[in-house]
Amino acid sequence: MRWHELLGRVGEFVAETQGGDGGGYVGVGQLGGWSVAVEPWGWRGALTEVATVLSAAAESVTVSRHDYAEDDFVHAVDGAVLTAFALGTPAVRRGSAPDRLNAAMAEVGLDPRGEARRSEHRIAAAFALAARGTGVAFTPDVLEAPLLVGDLRGPAA
């Protein structure tokens, strides 16, 4: 389905559930040698347990922007989270290699030793960090191509 169709389906689900269960759907497209998943109104991609599954025998990078909670960055390889942090507190990292991305974080404006701060540029910085690690930049034209849409609403009743 197309991006606007996915947003319509997500909007219906959010209205039905009053937003408490995320967006209910994820769209996946191709970008370079990577698969890119977009989860409007959702947050599951940034969960540690999801990142470990997505990265089994592979690599995953998640940038999560949230309207009222934490924005997150998660980098996982072969089923293990290497580096993860909330974008508002990049000095507080978790994972098996929390300092692995420090130089790249500093280069894109996410101070790995810095104080917690709100920045209107932190989402852009997180996408720049993801692009450094993957060699692929997420651009708006990714959403112009058809997306394979998966249902996250749980088992059918």
Side-chain angles (χ1 to χ4, degrees), residues 54-126:
L54 290 175
S55 69
E59 181 175 10
S60 72
V61 177
T62 302
V63 174
S64 175
R65 184 203 147 288
H66 203 290
D67 282 344
Y68 58 86
E70 289 287 353
D71 303 318
D72 292 295
F73 181 92
V74 181
H75 178 226
V77 176
D78 291 330
V81 172
L82 300 181
T83 306
F85 57 92
L87 298 181
T89 54
V92 181
R93 293 178 302 285
R94 62 191 187 285
S96 61
D99 297 332
R100 180 180 179 144
L101 301 176
N102 284 8
M105 288 173 66
E107 289 172 7
V108 300
L110 294 166
D111 185 355
R113 298 171 315 222
E115 300 280 326
R117 61 185 172 92
R118 295 285 299 175
S119 167
E120 69 273 9
H121 303 293
R122 66 185 178 177
I123 299 297

Side-chain angles (χ1 to χ4, degrees), residues 15-28:
E16 290 170 11
T17 63
Q18 286 120 25
D21 294 325
Y25 299 89
V26 62
V28 180

Side-chain angles (χ1 to χ4, degrees), residues 28-51:
V28 180
Q30 192 73 27
L31 183 60
W34 290 75
S35 295
V36 176
V38 289
E39 185 187 0
W41 204 281
W43 58 85
R44 288 181 176 94
L47 297 173
T48 298
E49 57 271 24
V50 173

